[in-house]
Amino acid sequence: MEEPPSSQKIFQLTRSETTASVPEDKNRLVRLAKEMRVENRSAMDKGHRASAEYKKRRARVESASRGSICSRHGSAVTCRHRPDSVKQPPKSILKSKTSTGGTVVTRSQSTSAETGKENSAGKEKSNCIHVEDIEDEDDEGGEEDCDTDLENEVAKSQISKADNSVEYLYDAACQRFALIPLSAFTRQLEDADIQLNNQGLSSKDMMAISIALLRNTLCTTLSLAGNDIGEDGCRYICEMLQDNVSIVRLNVADNNLKTAGAKLLSYMLKMNAGLQALDASGNGFIEHDAKYFASALQVTFRLKELDLSHNNFSEEGGVLLGAALETNDTIEKLNLSWNSLRRKGAIAIGKGLRSNLGVKQLDLSWNGFATEGAKEIAEALQKNSTLVDLDLSSNRIDAEGAAYLAKGLQANYTLDILKLSKNPLTSFGAQLILQTLKKSETCQLKTLELFDLHLEKDAIELGHEVCELRPEFDLVYGVSLGSKPNMYGGFKRRTVKEKEVERPKEPLQILLDFVQEKGINLMELFSQFDEDNSWSVSRDEFKQGMKNAKIPLTNAQMEELLDSLDKDGDGEVDFGELMFGSKEFEDKQREREEELRRAALAESLCDTAVLVAERADSDGELGN
């Protein structure tokens, strides 16, 4: 059997390829953001200078206003100072000297002053000025610059704050690349969890979003699933994450990233210092792409959750990822479902799990492990001491594979949940695992899921026994008809604990069981009640006859039985009503049994169909 490559070999194989995948301009987004900040600073400086000119003119007017100590009394205005640069007041205003050398202007005297002293008013320059006249003047006189250093510093700080904001960077990027701002993004600019799933984002949209998130410290979760962003969009996100360490959860599922995206994500994982969870499921990765993720797992020690499900790594990819598990102890939750890892992949994963000390939740469903794969996983369970939740659903594991798993569970003391749904275990295979749980003192399994598996009476009874010994244990099983693969929402869920309290028998069933047990028929029983041979008895006579015959019915059950038999409501039960009621009851019982039989048959057909489909998927065609 071919040995899987060592982790050191994987790192050597991928180092040159991942390095080659890095864009030449690694700081492109940073450079673009810097250019936009410079453009913004230049524009704001220009606007600030224009605003400063207005402030200078306004300050001169206010200074003149403050220098004019004015007081109003009646209709007179007294002004004791006038800057020389201010224009003369209207000639209609007359002036007169005051004791202080100032001027008193009396509007009521303006008529006589104009006619009597016009020449003297023209010879002497007045020091009187109205504030209203000052505010309307547009003087170009020489006041010094009124802007202070403090104002300049405040303006610069405002510019710096503005051109570093997420909102500004995004708006500037949209203007630069002629994009319409995405309202779904702008509404979430200050949210910790930014959800942009299924928004139809283009590569330019991703560039603008990435530039905006360069300096964002609020966002911790970024979800971009279902956008088909491709290689370019992935490149922008990865470049952004080389600088941004605030985002700890990234979802890029279903984005058609393919091999180029695998290279970019691998390099980003090696360079990023903050990411803890990555969902890259459904991106069309093939078997050789697994080496990029395997290489990243050798050097990244912060990533705790990794979802690579719904890709096509196949056996070779499974070998590479299994080898990576040997040395990585930081991944706690790993999803490799729907990857067709099959036998070689299962062997490598099992070998990696034996020495792995980090993985707690592992999903390996829909991978076609079959019996040999189940054997390898069972051997890993004997040595692994960290795994808590294991999903092996839809892996073509039969009763023989169940026997291997049962043996592996005997030595395991950490596994809490084991999912074996949609496997052709048969009821016998389930019993093998339940027997182990009943006898083993080390196994701590708390939940065993067996959806889409028909459990016979013996298996259910054994499940009851295990529940009595292990109060925390739960055997979950059920049937799904027409539900989607791996979607348990439409299942009829049943547990053995729900069966512990049996439904009480119907009164007529108790009566029929009594007659069968005594070896008599209903006619003989009814004749004991009918003393006058009229083939009809009252309700009291029927009750008394039931008590004399010692039929185990309570008074409430007797009343219920009489109500069901006395169809015409005349207060009496005749022999015909008794026979009709018993026949009707037996017909209903047969219908129930037929429904159960059909359900069991349909369940068996579902198991067969799933098995055939998995074998066809494993072999490539039904004929193989």
Side-chain angles (χ1 to χ4, degrees):
M1 182 176 62
E2 183 182 355
E3 289 292 328
S6 64
S7 58
Q8 183 64 25
K9 184 177 180 181
I10 293 173
F11 183 74
Q12 292 174 351
L13 286 173
T14 56
R15 166 178 268 173
S16 60
E17 295 187 51
T18 53
T19 304
S21 68
V22 180
E24 295 181 0
D25 187 359
K26 294 185 291 185
N27 297 321
R28 172 174 43 178
L29 293 179
V30 177
R31 176 174 54 80
L32 288 173
K34 184 177 180 180
E35 290 177 0
M36 287 185 290
R37 283 196 292 270
V38 170
E39 293 172 359
N40 176 58
R41 188 176 293 110
S42 176
M44 293 189 70
D45 283 342
K46 183 177 180 181
H48 177 66
R49 287 194 297 271
S51 177
E53 294 299 327
Y54 171 78
K55 288 181 179 179
K56 293 176 185 178
R57 188 182 66 198
R58 182 71 179 181
R60 286 193 294 270
V61 173
E62 291 178 352
S63 177
S65 173
R66 286 192 297 269
S68 300
I69 306 173
C70 304
S71 61
R72 293 182 179 272
H73 182 73
S75 59
V77 178
T78 303
C79 299
R80 297 179 179 175
H81 174 73
R82 178 185 63 80
D84 296 335
S85 60
V86 181
K87 294 182 179 180
Q88 293 293 338
K91 295 181 178 181
S92 58
I93 303 176
L94 301 181
K95 301 91 184 176
S96 62
K97 293 183 179 181
T98 62
S99 61
T100 59
T103 304
V104 177
V105 180
T106 307
R107 295 182 181 270
S108 60
Q109 300 172 353
S110 61
T111 302
S112 60
E114 288 177 357
T115 57
K117 298 182 180 180
E118 182 175 352
N119 294 331
S120 62
K123 295 180 180 179
E124 181 181 359
K125 292 184 178 180
S126 174
N127 291 327
C128 176
I129 189 169
H130 283 284
V131 175
E132 292 85 347
D133 296 330
I134 295 176
E135 292 182 347
D136 291 334
E137 291 293 330
D138 187 8
D139 183 39
E140 297 179 357
E143 282 286 332
E144 294 184 356
D145 191 350
C146 64
D147 286 346
T148 64
D149 292 339
L150 178 60
E151 288 176 319
N152 290 330
E153 292 299 325
V154 171
K156 290 180 180 179
S157 66
Q158 290 175 347
I159 293 175
S160 176
K161 183 178 180 181
D163 62 20
N164 277 291
S165 68
V166 179
E167 183 177 3
Y168 164 72
L169 288 175
Y170 183 62
D171 288 342
C174 288
Q175 293 178 12
R176 188 183 186 104
F177 305 119
L179 296 172
I180 299 176
L182 185 66
S183 60
F185 180 59
T186 56
R187 287 196 303 266
Q188 304 178 72
L189 288 178
E190 297 183 358
D191 293 349
D193 185 357
I194 296 180
Q195 296 287 330
L196 297 175
N197 299 329
N198 304 306
Q199 295 292 328
L201 303 177
S202 65
S203 58
K204 286 189 176 180
D205 288 325
M206 293 312 306
M207 178 183 285
I209 291 172
S210 299
I211 290 174
L213 293 177
L214 274 173
R215 297 294 180 263
N216 182 280
T217 57
L218 298 176
C219 176
T220 58
T221 300
L222 178 61
S223 185
L224 301 166
N227 281 294
D228 198 21
I229 62 176
E231 176 185 353
D232 290 338
C234 183
R235 187 182 302 275
Y236 300 137
I237 291 296
C238 291
E239 290 178 17
M240 177 268 294
L241 287 173
Q242 292 181 41
D243 286 334
N244 187 307
V245 295
S246 299
I247 296 176
V248 297
R249 304 185 69 87
L250 174 65
N251 184 355
V252 290
D254 301 316
N255 272 298
N256 196 30
L257 302 183
K258 297 185 178 180
T259 300
K263 293 180 182 180
L264 291 166
L265 289 174
S266 173
Y267 184 80
M268 180 272 294
L269 289 174
K270 295 175 183 178
M271 301 299 294
N272 181 273
L275 199 65
Q276 298 180 13
L278 172 63
D279 185 349
S281 59
N283 275 298
F285 300 139
I286 57 177
E287 54 187 6
H288 299 298
D289 297 338
K291 61 187 175 184
Y292 302 115
F293 293 103
S295 174
L297 291 177
Q298 308 302 313
V299 295
T300 179
F301 300 103
R302 286 184 176 272
L303 195 66
K304 296 182 179 180
E305 299 180 17
L306 179 60
D307 189 345
L308 295 174
S309 62
H310 289 81
N311 287 296
N312 193 24
F313 289 129
S314 69
E315 289 184 290
E316 295 302 324
V319 170
L320 295 168
L321 293 171
L325 283 178
E326 293 185 44
T327 56
N328 184 285
D329 293 333
T330 60
I331 296 292
E332 298 179 357
K333 183 177 179 181
L334 179 62
N335 188 346
L336 296 175
S337 62
W338 290 85
N339 270 297
S340 302
L341 302 180
R342 301 188 182 113
R343 184 179 69 86
K344 290 184 180 180
I347 293 173
I349 295 292
K351 183 179 178 181
L353 283 176
R354 294 176 195 178
S355 56
N356 182 275
L357 300 175
V359 177
K360 297 180 180 180
Q361 183 175 345
L362 179 60
D363 189 347
L364 297 172
S365 60
W366 295 88
N367 275 305
F369 283 176
T371 302
E372 294 183 4
K375 181 179 179 181
E376 293 296 329
I377 298 299
E379 292 179 359
L381 288 176
Q382 297 180 29
K383 298 182 179 181
N384 184 278
S385 59
T386 57
L387 197 60
V388 176
D389 187 339
L390 176 61
D391 191 347
L392 294 173
S393 302
S394 300
N395 268 300
R396 296 189 294 147
I397 300 175
D398 55 13
E400 183 180 358
Y404 287 123
L405 291 173
K407 184 178 179 181
L409 288 172
Q410 289 179 355
N412 184 278
Y413 58 88
T414 60
L415 195 66
D416 287 340
I417 302 173
L418 178 59
K419 300 175 183 178
L420 293 172
S421 303
K422 288 183 175 292
N423 280 302
L425 298 174
T426 71
S427 185
F428 176 71
Q431 289 183 44
L432 293 176
I433 297 176
L434 291 172
Q435 284 288 354
T436 298
L437 297 177
K438 181 179 178 181
K439 298 177 181 179
S440 176
E441 296 181 357
T442 58
C443 181
Q444 302 298 319
L445 197 68
K446 295 181 174 62
T447 301
L448 177 61
E449 285 192 4
L450 298 173
F451 286 116
D452 259 13
L453 179 63
H454 175 66
L455 296 182
E456 297 179 356
K457 184 177 179 181
D458 293 342
I460 296 177
E461 290 179 354
L462 183 57
H464 280 293
E465 295 177 9
V466 175
C467 284
E468 291 177 359
L469 296 174
R470 301 169 178 260
E472 73 282 359
F473 178 72
D474 190 10
L475 172 61
V476 185
Y477 64 101
V479 182
S480 66
L481 300 176
S483 61
K484 295 181 180 180
N486 212 28
M487 298 291 290
Y488 294 161
F491 280 64
K492 180 180 179 183
R493 180 186 177 96
R494 295 180 295 187
T495 67
V496 293
K497 293 183 178 181
E498 293 172 353
K499 299 281 186 177
E500 291 178 0
V501 180
E502 296 185 358
R503 182 180 178 181
K505 292 182 178 180
E506 297 185 25
L508 191 53
Q509 180 65 56
I510 297 175
L511 175 61
L512 295 176
D513 290 345
F514 176 82
V515 170
Q516 184 178 3
E517 181 182 351
K518 296 298 182 181
I520 60 178
N521 54 44
L522 288 175
M523 182 179 291
E524 293 174 343
L525 179 65
F526 192 82
S527 63
Q528 296 178 13
F529 304 161
D530 185 18
E531 297 180 356
D532 57 0
N533 298 324
S534 61
W535 297 104
S536 178
V537 296
S538 64
R539 295 175 69 99
D540 292 338
E541 289 176 338
F542 190 89
K543 290 180 183 179
Q544 189 61 44
M546 297 281 283
K547 291 180 180 179
N548 294 337
K550 297 183 179 180
I551 299 175
L553 287 173
T554 64
N555 291 332
Q557 289 175 324
M558 287 185 184
E559 291 293 338
E560 182 180 351
L561 176 60
L562 287 170
D563 291 339
S564 63
L565 294 177
D566 188 12
K567 299 294 185 181
D568 55 9
D570 60 355
E572 293 191 354
V573 179
D574 55 43
F575 181 69
E577 289 175 328
L578 179 60
M579 292 299 297
F580 179 80
S582 61
K583 184 178 182 303
E584 185 180 30
F585 179 79
E586 290 174 351
D587 290 342
K588 290 181 180 180
Q589 288 293 96
R590 279 193 293 269
E591 290 178 3
R592 292 174 186 171
E593 293 175 0
E594 182 63 20
E595 288 178 1
L596 292 176
R597 188 189 69 79
R598 287 197 297 266
L601 178 60
E603 190 172 342
S604 177
L605 291 174
C606 281
D607 291 339
T608 304
V610 170
L611 179 59
V612 171
E614 289 179 350
R615 285 179 177 173
D617 179 64
S618 177
D619 299 335
E621 55 181 346
L622 288 173
N624 295 335

